[in-house]
Amino acid sequence: MTATTTSAVTVPARGVKAFPLAAGQHLRITDQEGGQVGDLFVYRTDDPGEYLSASHTRAATSRLFPAVGQQFVTNLRRPVLTLAEDTSPGRHDMLIAACDAERYRALGVPRHASCAQNLVDALAAHGIHTDSIPQPVNVFMDVRVDADQLVRRPASTRPGDSITFTAVVDCLAVLSACPQDLAPVVNDGDPTPLSVTVFSDGPAGA
């Protein structure tokens, strides 16, 4: 079997892109320069009111983050993605909320770009309007649980590290290259781009 690439896109630093996925297609996120966090959101194509839920996924897997081969589920507890491959050190987060306008207002920068606004803008471009921001899958973000404390560490990804998901159903994936540059532990204080490749399995020679 070979892979047939349908799209390869760079999500610019602080930017966002949306990726329609058919069931069975793969979404690979690559950290171009290392140390960059990406906020991933996923919505079912046939019902945007059903979306990837971090809390339901933790309950389904009994893990803070799924292992390769395990599935992410929606707010209706139905599979939406499978974790297919991970060439990174394997630290990803599903505990920390997306950065938003209120977070940056508290930091004294009210007009700062945010993952929450990136999501709203990306969905609007696809005719989907929402005031609710789900808990994202924070790929490459290293958050450790130490007793009752959450300890944030710099992302340990190296240039070229990647994580690959397989769509279980037709869905719309949205990836924000996190714009956080005020907390040095996130993105090393200097956001950089992420690469996304959407591909399908095809017969040899395809």
Side-chain angles (χ1 to χ4, degrees):
M1 300 291 286
T2 59
T4 302
T5 299
T6 59
S7 67
V9 175
T10 295
V11 181
R14 302 177 176 84
V16 65
K17 298 284 185 180
F19 305 89
L21 301 174
Q25 282 192 308
H26 311 290
L27 177 83
R28 175 168 294 149
I29 302 170
T30 302
D31 191 350
Q32 291 187 0
E33 300 182 27
Q36 174 64 37
V37 171
D39 285 34
L40 177 67
F41 307 86
V42 182
Y43 294 80
R44 281 186 63 116
T45 301
D46 59 358
D47 180 10
E50 185 175 356
Y51 49 83
L52 191 160
S53 168
S55 60
H56 290 84
T57 299
R58 294 195 304 269
T61 61
S62 296
R63 295 174 56 94
L64 292 176
F65 198 85
V68 170
Q70 291 186 320
Q71 293 181 322
F72 299 79
V73 302
T74 69
N75 53 317
L76 297 183
R77 301 182 187 272
R78 299 194 292 185
V80 64
L81 294 181
T82 299
L83 180 51
E85 183 182 46
D86 189 359
T87 70
S88 79
R91 302 301 308 191
H92 312 282
D93 167 68
M94 295 198 307
L95 296 173
I96 302 299
C99 60
D100 54 27
E102 195 58 42
R103 169 70 170 143
Y104 291 112
R105 272 194 288 270
L107 292 171
V109 189
R111 292 183 176 82
H112 199 283
S114 72
C115 288
Q117 189 60 50
N118 279 350
L119 172 66
V120 170
D121 293 344
L123 290 179
H126 285 263
I128 302 170
H129 301 279
T130 183
D131 295 322
S132 177
I133 308 299
Q135 163 67 55
V137 174
N138 294 310
V139 297
F140 311 136
M141 187 172 188
D142 191 347
V143 177
R144 311 288 178 103
V145 180
D146 182 6
D148 62 347
Q149 300 289 317
L150 294 180
V151 180
R152 295 168 175 81
R153 297 185 180 182
S156 55
T157 41
R158 302 145 301 201
D161 282 348
S162 68
I163 185 169
T164 304
F165 305 90
T166 302
V168 178
V169 296
D170 293 353
C171 57
L172 180 69
V174 177
L175 181 69
S176 172
C178 183
Q180 175 61 270
D181 55 7
L182 302 175
V185 75
V186 181
N187 306 322
D188 199 25
D190 183 19
T192 55
L194 295 169
S195 296
V196 174
T197 304
V198 175
F199 62 99
S200 303
D201 296 323

